[in-house]
Each structure stands twice: as C-alpha cells, then as structure tokens.
Amino acid sequence: MADKLDKLREAQKQRIEKEARPGETYAQAAHRLQVAADKQPPTPKSNMRKAPSGDAQMDFFVPALYDVGTRDSRSIMDVAVFRLSKKERRAGDVIRYDLPDGYVEVKSGPDGMASIWDYDIVLMLVSHLTEAVNAYRAGKGEKPSRTFRPHVSDILRFCRKGHGGKQAVEIEHALDRLRGTTIKSVRERVNTNGQKLREVEAEGLIGGYRVVSYTDSGRIAELEIEAPKWLYREIIDGKRPDVLTVHPDYFLIEPGLGKFIYRLARRAAGKDSAKWSYQTIYERSGSTGTFKKFCFMLRKLIETNDLPEYILSEEKGLKGPQLVMIHRDSIEVIDSSGS
C-alpha cells in the first residue's frame, strides 16, 4: 500500500512540474491546477451498468435463449405498462393512459406493480416466441405453445445479470408482480359495415407461471411461464408480428426512465429521428413524481447521453421543451454523404 501511495505522489509531482508555467513555483503551480480542477463540472454518472463477469453476448441471431434478438411488443411501447421506480411498489395502484382511439389502464395487485426490470422477463418470452415462430414458418420446427420453459440461468444470462445474491428468488417475486399486473385496453374501431365498436381486453403481463424448487436450498429446479393470450396471438397469428428488435445493451441501462426512453426512441424514431414533448413523455411514463422532477431526470439522461443507439437532445417547442431522439447510424450516414 505504501509503495502505491509513493508512486501516486511521484506521478502527481511530475505532472505538476510538467504543467508549471515559467517563473511559477511548485506550490503556485499546484494551487493553480487544484483551483482549475475544482471549477471543472463533475463527470455525469453513466446510465449504463457494467456487464456481469462471464457475460458473452454473441451474435444475437444465434438461436440460444439468451442470444436471440431481443424483441418488444410495439403495441405498448409508447406507454409504461410498469413502474419505472425500484422504490415504489405501487400495490393496488391504477395508471390510465388516454390514447386517440381509447385508453389503456395498468392495474397492480397486492404484490405490487411490475417494474420495468421485471418486464425483462417478458422481453425474453417475446424473443423466444418470435424466433420459434420464424423457425416454424420456415419449416424448421413445431408451432410454439404459450408455455415457455427457460432455466433460471438462461433468464439471468439473457437479461445480462450476475448469478450471485438472491437472483433466483427475485425471479419468483418478479413473476408474482408480472402475473398480478393487469393491462386493460379499451379501443374504438369501425367495422366493415361502418358501425362503431368498442373493444375491451384485459390480461396480465404474463398468463401464469409454475415454479418447482428444492426445499433445502430454495434453488429453482423447474420454471414455466405462460404467455398472455394477447401477446401470443400478436406474435403467432399475425402475418407480420408487430415486434421490434432491441439492442442487447438495453439490459445494462440502469435508470428506469432511461430504459423507458430507449423503448420510446426505438418505437418512435426507429433508424431515423423523432421528437416528443416533455409533457407527453411525462404523461406516458406513469410517473408519480412532479413534472419538474421528471424534467430534471430527463435532462440528466441528455447530459450523459450514453443510451444504446440514440443521441438525445432538447429543443424548444411551441408548448414547452421537446426531447429529440436521433439514431446514431442516421448521423453517420449524413456525415459520410458530406452534407
């Protein structure tokens, strides 16, 4: 330890001597450099956590459970059907989103509302179903059922989480919240005869689950997760499943708001760009905090600007600030064209 401190002191001394101005004493140079360092704004904290040890993200079209292309249901990508906070359980809570053709209600049960981190399990389910149905349509497999049987280690790898701590136990709690969080969708549409219809659907974020674990250790031996009917129908029965590929680094985004903004950008901007007002994003986020606090957090995301695929910025709008989301590849295309 003493040797390390001596080396650090020597390195600092050499740096000060190197940056000293003509006629400036060592003490004066050290003071000037310290004052300058104190004036530097602190480096924004990254929104991305480090990948766990042993994390090997291969080509994500390789048909291994944790390497398949992460996909998300576009039909609910621009509203939060989960809570963005880790602290607030929001048990028995209701969030309502008014949409142009109806509304969506998110209702939580006694175990609390599913979080955006719990929803990573749904992403894995969507990915598995999408890859399986693609193989089925290509004549390379059977039609997938609604029941998904992953191993706990597969979930942890897919979601890029470590195997330590109580990860396996937390998965069961996450499944409780996903099962108890109901999405009620009310939409109006016009049929072929020109008659207006009101269509109501309500299901959980998962249809159900089954866990078999060892009583002595609590380790999970078997796990089954049932896809909700609406999700299964959208992916299996649709000629062109309404899903989007999501960057694998999505799982490394730390803030719940950061994960939500990435999903919004993926849905709204795609490979190009999009603008959404802060007010609309706030309303679609289901946040329980004040709009002022929400804007502060959003600007912190913009300041750090390290979300996968997208560059974020703020600009003035007619009714307040707007978030500009631009896909990084679209900027590279513009730069390479010389325009």
Side-chain angles (χ1 to χ4, degrees), residues 272-321:
D272 200 351
S273 64
K275 299 178 184 179
W276 276 51
S277 74
Y278 279 28
Q279 184 66 44
T280 301
I281 298 172
Y282 173 67
E283 292 169 357
R284 297 289 180 88
S285 72
S287 174
T288 57
T290 64
F291 179 60
K292 182 179 180 180
K293 178 66 174 178
F294 182 84
C295 291
F296 172 79
M297 294 170 63
L298 194 51
R299 288 181 175 121
K300 293 292 285 185
L301 286 177
I302 294 172
E303 181 184 8
T304 309
N305 229 337
D306 59 354
L307 295 185
E309 297 190 278
Y310 295 95
I311 294 174
L312 308 178
S313 61
E314 178 183 329
E315 72 174 33
K316 291 183 178 180
L318 294 176
K319 297 182 179 180

Side-chain angles (χ1 to χ4, degrees), residues 138-154:
K140 298 179 181 179
E142 297 181 355
K143 184 177 181 179
S145 70
R146 286 177 58 198
T147 303
F148 178 43
R149 297 181 177 87
H151 193 277
V152 169
S153 61
D154 293 327

Side-chain angles (χ1 to χ4, degrees), residues 161-181:
K161 295 179 179 178
H163 289 256
K166 300 179 180 179
Q167 297 281 18
V169 176
E170 289 173 359
I171 285 177
E172 185 175 336
H173 294 327
L175 293 171
D176 281 333
R177 292 187 291 268
L178 289 167
R179 178 68 182 87
T181 301

Side-chain angles (χ1 to χ4, degrees), residues 23-309:
E24 194 175 41
T25 66
Y26 178 87
Q28 290 171 335
H31 177 71
R32 175 176 56 79
L33 292 172
Q34 184 61 53
V35 170
D38 291 341
K39 290 181 179 179
Q40 290 291 327
T43 303
K45 182 182 177 182
S46 174
N47 295 305
M48 310 295 291
R49 64 177 171 84
K50 291 183 179 180
S53 59
D55 177 74
Q57 286 285 330
M58 297 157 42
D59 177 356
F60 50 81
F61 290 105
V62 174
L65 285 180
Y66 54 89
D67 288 325
V68 295
T70 308
R71 298 175 187 273
D72 201 345
S73 173
R74 292 181 66 184
S75 61
I76 56 173
M77 279 187 81
D78 56 0
V79 295
V81 292
F82 30 62
R83 57 184 163 91
L84 304 185
S85 170
K86 288 184 177 180
K87 296 179 181 179
E88 299 174 351
R89 290 181 63 247
R90 302 187 70 168
D93 204 352
V94 179
I95 306 174
R96 174 171 167 142
Y97 302 105
D98 290 312
L99 303 174
D101 59 345
Y103 64 89
V104 172
E105 279 187 348
V106 183
K107 300 181 180 181
S108 62
D111 293 306
M113 184 176 291
S115 72
I116 196 167
W117 296 273
D118 298 335
Y119 191 75
D120 288 349
I121 296 175
V122 179
L123 286 180
M124 185 179 186
L125 176 60
V126 172
S127 301
H128 172 79
L129 279 175
T130 303
E131 291 298 319
V133 76
N134 287 344
Y136 167 69
R137 287 172 177 164
K140 298 179 181 179
E142 297 181 355
K143 184 177 181 179
S145 70
R146 286 177 58 198
T147 303
F148 178 43
R149 297 181 177 87
H151 193 277
V152 169
S153 61
D154 293 327
I155 295 177
L156 296 176
R157 287 194 191 99
F158 186 87
C159 299
R160 305 183 73 177
K161 295 179 179 178
H163 289 256
K166 300 179 180 179
Q167 297 281 18
V169 176
E170 289 173 359
I171 285 177
E172 185 175 336
H173 294 327
L175 293 171
D176 281 333
R177 292 187 291 268
L178 289 167
R179 178 68 182 87
T181 301
T182 303
I183 313 302
K184 180 180 178 180
S185 173
V186 180
R187 301 289 173 93
E188 291 184 358
R189 60 184 178 87
V190 179
N191 66 10
T192 54
N193 296 324
Q195 296 173 305
K196 286 187 177 181
L197 301 176
R198 181 176 180 269
E199 186 175 353
V200 181
E201 284 187 285
E203 274 193 280
L205 285 172
I206 60 172
Y209 76 89
R210 174 176 173 268
V211 174
V212 178
S213 56
Y214 298 101
T215 55
D216 56 348
S217 64
R219 187 166 56 87
I220 295 176
E222 297 177 28
L223 176 61
E224 293 182 358
I225 306 172
E226 186 180 61
K229 293 178 182 178
W230 66 270
L231 189 62
Y232 183 81
R233 183 173 63 246
E234 182 172 300
I235 296 172
I236 302 299
D237 296 337
K239 292 182 180 179
R240 298 180 63 186
D242 197 17
V243 290
L244 280 175
T245 301
V246 177
H247 196 282
D249 284 351
Y250 166 83
F251 292 118
L252 302 181
I253 301 173
E254 281 274 40
L257 180 59
K259 292 170 81 74
F260 177 69
I261 292 298
Y262 173 85
R263 296 178 74 246
L264 175 63
R266 193 69 190 89
R267 169 77 165 96
K271 295 290 184 179
D272 200 351
S273 64
K275 299 178 184 179
W276 276 51
S277 74
Y278 279 28
Q279 184 66 44
T280 301
I281 298 172
Y282 173 67
E283 292 169 357
R284 297 289 180 88
S285 72
S287 174
T288 57
T290 64
F291 179 60
K292 182 179 180 180
K293 178 66 174 178
F294 182 84
C295 291
F296 172 79
M297 294 170 63
L298 194 51
R299 288 181 175 121
K300 293 292 285 185
L301 286 177
I302 294 172
E303 181 184 8
T304 309
N305 229 337
D306 59 354
L307 295 185
E309 297 190 278

